[in-house]
Amino acid sequence: IMMTDKGIYVPSDLKDLEEAFEKYCPNTMFLDVGSGNGSVLELAWKHSATVRGVEIDKEFYETTKFKRWVTNGHFDKIDFSIYNIIYYFLKGTDEEESLAEKMNSKARDKIIIYRRGSNQEETDKFIAKLTNFKVIETFKYIYILNKVQ
């Protein structure tokens, strides 16, 4: 666990993600908000997703395995509407309010929330902000949300 000046960085445990990614990632455009070391991008890519990441921390950006597919900057600069899946590890940014707002208005298909390290109340509070989405499936630590038509 590492505090950055923009949030908390904990690498995702890929074993937690495997089953959900196998089911939801194939043939999608996948965006990781706070892509850190790139391991989540790599897993999504292995499951046939076209991947992009956004990482505000310069050091993580410089060392990511997927630098070519990562934008070093704020998530505000990214067009969420082109992605089928927006992936977010809870507490990855100290601007969750505006992230939730952007996801809610711009995400077009699915949101994957990874909540390891967050309690149920924190998780429910974030998901409640995504009023245009509903939870369609859960895995251990993972919530799959689908845009309500």
Side-chain angles (χ1 to χ4, degrees):
I1 295 181
M2 212 173 109
M3 283 302 293
T4 68
D5 53 355
K6 294 293 175 192
I8 296 172
Y9 175 71
V10 183
S12 297
D13 186 331
L14 300 182
K15 288 189 302 293
D16 292 342
L17 305 178
E18 186 68 45
E19 191 183 353
F21 277 35
E22 194 174 315
K23 182 170 180 179
Y24 289 101
C25 285
N27 307 312
T28 59
M29 294 278 292
F30 179 97
L31 174 68
D32 182 354
V33 179
S35 54
N37 67 11
S39 60
V40 169
L41 291 175
E42 186 173 18
L43 185 66
W45 177 77
K46 282 178 178 166
H47 287 293
S48 308
T50 301
V51 298
R52 296 292 306 194
V54 57
E55 177 53 62
I56 200 163
D57 189 275
K58 189 86 175 138
E59 210 173 305
F60 285 128
Y61 170 71
E62 291 300 339
T63 58
T64 180
K65 302 175 209 170
F66 274 69
K67 192 170 181 182
R68 196 169 142 201
W69 294 278
V70 175
T71 300
N72 181 213
H74 194 278
F75 61 78
D76 266 1
K77 307 279 183 271
I78 306 297
D79 179 1
F80 280 20
S81 69
I82 64 174
Y83 299 95
N84 309 94
I85 295 177
I86 312 276
Y87 172 87
Y88 177 60
F89 190 157
L90 274 183
K91 295 184 186 158
T93 176
D94 56 9
E95 296 179 50
E96 281 194 340
E97 198 67 46
S98 67
L99 175 61
E101 212 171 283
K102 180 162 184 169
M103 284 177 163
N104 202 39
S105 62
K106 302 292 184 206
R108 69 178 171 123
D109 192 2
K110 289 184 175 51
I111 296 173
I112 298 179
I113 301 294
Y114 183 45
R115 65 154 273 200
R116 193 180 194 119
S118 296
N119 65 36
Q120 195 61 55
E121 188 184 341
E122 292 165 322
T123 306
D124 292 344
K125 193 175 156 198
F126 185 81
I127 289 174
K129 294 173 186 164
L130 305 173
T131 53
N132 292 331
F133 288 80
K134 71 175 200 301
V135 175
I136 55 164
E137 189 168 4
T138 57
F139 298 82
K140 186 179 180 185
Y141 303 121
I142 294 174
Y143 290 73
I144 312 289
L145 291 88
N146 207 40
K147 186 152 192 153
V148 179
Q149 298 309 327

